[in-house]
Each structure stands twice: as structure tokens, then as C-alpha cells.
Amino acid sequence: MAHYDVVPATDEGWAHPPFAAEVTGTGDERLLWGRGTLDNKGSGAALLEAAERAAASGYRPQHDLYLFFGHDEETTGSGAVAAVALLQQRGVQVGFVLDEGGAVVEKLFPTVARPIAVVGVSEKGTTSFTLTVEQQGGHASTPPRLTATARLARAIVRVTEHPFRARLNAVTERMIRTVGAHGRGPVKFVFTRAGLFRPLLVAIFARMSDETAAIVRTTVAVTQLDAGLAANALAERAQAVLNVRIAIGSTVDETRRHLERAVADPLVRVDVLSANDPAPVSRMDGDTWSLLAETVAAVYPTAIVTPYVQTGATDSRQFARVSSTVYRFSPFEMSAAERATLHAKNERMHVDTFFAGIRFFTALLPRL
Ligand SMILES: [Zn+2]
């Protein structure tokens, strides 16, 4: 699977135009610039390149093979919903689903020098809530003690000051043990004994970086605010949109109850705008896991392969209805600087990285 829609981009702030696919540099430093290189046209193009070459060479898969390319992953994901509905209608159960997701990354954990191939075996539930305050309007010269806007602001502060509980789930614990085994000193000692040092690790991850904090808890981001029609009139309605990524083991309902408790104000309504529970956790062992891990090793021989819980949503979550084995991995090496260009300016990929992606799918196909 891959998706060929992208998030919007204009020329502004880009060193090379987002839709020109310019290649710069020479040798190892050759770069391909463009919106979608990493997310996710790069995967789609690499997959098609490998599939076309395989077909031309007379390759016949042992099992039925479906190539799925979503056209609206970044918005509604209706393409994936329709594809899964069609598979269900045809009575198809899928043995192995592979979509975008984790990548080959570096410097994820201190003292671990080797690159790490992180394979998403689940993903957090992407859910949006609204906080709404409705109140009698009026002239701004005689405001009540707490206006709708101030009440909403207080609610937002309360949500921010009551973060969700941090904890280690089984997938994260497995990742810490797997990667920690390649670390040094105290990192190796503590990480390989993740079960024993659970409270310490939870505290470290919650503080180490925004990325690691998102791994151990449900996160909330206030993404949109809306209130008021005039500078001199009281807002009759004030609303905030909270984009929430629900940790595995929790649910939309539990998350809503937490938000209501944090807000602690009956005049602030908490509604679900769009709901998705976390995806089921796919197996981290067995034939299909080995098949993927061996393919990664064939292309990235020094990489440590580990499961993880993805923080972003993908089309693949729909496929949990037709498959118990859904993995999320983009076969590309991505530096922290490159990862920072996802959904941002100057998205780009090393040309060599793109070629490695083609080699990955070329190595994968004969195993299917
Ligand atoms: Zn994507």
C-alpha cells in the first residue's frame, strides 16, 4: 500500500518548487526535492518500479497480491474504506498488509549507533473532539465575569495541565528491550530490563523529547480556535478543536471521560468530531514478522528491526477488518532533518534512499 495524495504546498519557503521533482547535488548527496517524496509518493513509485520489473521478468507470486494506492489518505481516507468494503464483499482475508509508516532512523536512543528500522504494529487512534461554550451575547462594554471565550480558554488550560497518564505498553516495552540491547552502559542495563525499570522508563520517555512523550501517552493538541464576530461584541459561541492521538489500550470513550474530568465545567460541552480507536496490535513474531524483518535486513544489513506503535494515522487501519497482520513501514532511511520536512517545507529524499526503497520491494516480492 501507499497513498499518492499529499498535503498542500506552495512555492513559498521551498528551496526547490514542491511539484517540480528537481534533483540536485552529485554522488551520495544527490537529492530529490518534492512534496510527497517521503509521504508517500516515494513508496508508491518504488513499489510500482519493483512490481513492473518483477512482472517483466515473469514473476508469479505464490499468493494473490493486491496493490492498493489511496487517493485521499491525508483527508478522509475514503479510498481505503471502499477498498476494504470491496475485499469484504469478495470474502477476501488478507494474510499480510504493508503500508507506509515507520522507516530506518538513526539516533533514536542514546548510545545506540546502529540504524533502527521501526515497523508499526499498531497505530494510535486519531480522534478529534470539540470544546464548545455557548452563552448569551451582548455589548463588550459590560461583560460578565467569565465570557464564553475566557471560559473556553480556562478549559484549554485545564486540559493542558492534566495530561493523560504515561505508561509502557507491550509494544513499546519490546522496542525498548530490542533497541536497548545494542546500547552501552546504563542505557543497555536499564533498557534490556524494561519490565523491572518500568516507572523509570516511563518518566524518561515522557521527558526525553516530544516524539518519545507521544509514545507513552495519549496526546492532545489544540489545533483550531473559533469565536466572535466583531471586536466590540461578546462571542455567543466559542469553540476549540482538540486533535487527540489515543494510546493503545485506551478508547475514545475513556478519552472523552478524561477530558470532561479535566475541564470540570458543565458549561463547556465536550463532543466527538471524528472518532477512531487505536488499531489492533499485529503479531511481533511468527512467519510474517520474520518475512518482513528478513527483507529489511537484506537491504539494511546493519539495521536493528523493532516493532513500535505509530503515532500518526494511515490508511492501513481500515485493513484490520480483513487482516490480523498489518505492518506499517516505509523502506527508506530518514534523518531527523528529513523527517522534520514531512507535512512541512522542503520535503526531500536522497536519490540513493529511493533506490534502496526499490531494492526493498524487489526483495520482498519473491517472498510473497
Ligand atoms: Zn502519509
Side-chain angles (χ1 to χ4, degrees):
M1 292 174 60
H3 67 88
Y4 59 88
D5 63 316
V6 294
V7 290
T10 64
D11 286 3
E12 209 185 303
W14 284 67
H16 300 273
F19 298 105
E22 284 184 13
V23 175
T24 61
T26 53
D28 290 353
E29 285 312 305
R30 263 198 310 167
L31 289 170
L32 171 60
W33 298 76
R35 170 60 85 228
T37 45
L38 302 174
D39 183 16
N40 179 244
K41 290 179 174 179
S43 272
L47 174 52
L48 283 170
E49 183 68 30
E52 283 184 11
R53 277 199 220 170
S57 73
Y59 158 71
R60 290 182 66 86
Q62 301 154 51
H63 304 94
D64 290 340
L65 187 61
Y66 295 83
L67 303 184
F68 170 78
F69 301 101
H71 70 289
D72 60 353
E73 190 273 344
E74 300 287 2
T75 51
T76 59
S78 68
V81 172
V84 168
L86 183 64
L87 290 172
Q88 281 181 309
Q89 192 190 317
R90 292 180 182 174
V92 175
Q93 273 293 314
V94 185
F96 171 34
V97 175
L98 181 63
D99 194 11
E100 65 167 335
V104 181
V105 298
E106 266 166 10
K107 302 188 184 81
L108 193 62
F109 285 6
T111 80
V112 178
R114 281 169 58 176
I116 304 165
V118 292
V119 176
V121 292
S122 183
E123 61 189 46
K124 294 174 87 176
T126 300
T127 293
S128 289
F129 292 89
T130 52
L131 303 182
T132 309
V133 183
E134 272 160 346
Q135 196 167 293
Q136 183 72 45
H139 200 277
S141 61
T142 53
R145 194 183 64 80
L146 208 55
T147 58
T149 45
R151 189 176 286 279
L152 179 68
R154 187 175 73 176
I156 292 169
V157 170
R158 286 178 176 172
V159 166
T160 308
E161 286 175 350
H162 291 86
F164 286 77
R165 197 163 77 87
R167 55 186 157 202
L168 278 195
N169 56 57
V171 179
T172 305
E173 196 177 309
R174 160 89 176 252
M175 174 181 77
I176 290 171
R177 278 191 282 114
T178 306
V179 179
H182 300 273
R184 289 192 313 270
V187 168
K188 181 170 183 169
F189 186 82
V190 173
F191 283 30
T192 51
R193 293 163 180 81
L196 273 177
F197 291 106
R198 205 170 278 142
L200 175 66
L201 286 165
V202 168
I204 292 173
F205 271 65
R207 285 169 187 78
M208 195 154 64
S209 72
D210 294 341
E211 264 180 352
T212 58
I215 288 173
V216 290
R217 62 159 53 107
T218 297
T219 59
V220 182
V222 181
T223 51
Q224 291 175 298
L225 291 172
D226 183 43
L229 297 170
N232 60 355
L234 297 177
E236 294 187 333
R237 188 165 173 278
Q239 191 171 66
V241 175
L242 311 185
N243 191 262
V244 180
R245 305 299 167 112
I246 303 173
I248 61 169
S250 186
T251 61
V252 172
D253 283 343
E254 191 180 80
T255 304
R256 178 220 278 270
R257 285 197 297 276
H258 172 101
L259 292 173
E260 284 170 345
R261 273 199 309 275
V263 168
D265 184 344
L267 293 182
V268 179
R269 212 170 63 232
V270 180
D271 293 313
V272 176
L273 191 61
S274 67
N276 274 300
D277 281 318
V281 178
S282 297
R283 284 184 64 169
M284 299 178 271
D285 54 18
D287 287 351
T288 319
W289 174 261
S290 303
L291 182 153
L292 181 60
E294 283 162 17
T295 311
V296 174
V299 180
Y300 297 100
T302 59
I304 305 157
V305 182
T306 179
Y308 89 119
V309 178
Q310 201 164 299
T311 51
T314 67
D315 269 344
S316 73
R317 71 180 182 280
Q318 307 296 346
F319 285 75
R321 288 202 287 278
V322 289
S323 180
S324 58
T325 309
V326 178
Y327 295 135
R328 300 153 183 86
F329 177 70
S330 306
F332 300 124
E333 207 155 4
M334 294 186 199
S335 67
E338 283 165 339
R339 291 205 303 284
T341 70
L342 283 159
H343 289 209
K345 294 181 193 353
N346 291 320
E347 188 176 348
R348 60 190 182 273
M349 170 187 271
H350 279 85
V351 172
D352 284 348
T353 302
F354 179 56
F355 291 160
I358 297 172
R359 286 201 302 279
F360 170 84
F361 287 118
T362 302
L364 180 66
L365 288 173
R367 297 165 195 257
L368 302 176

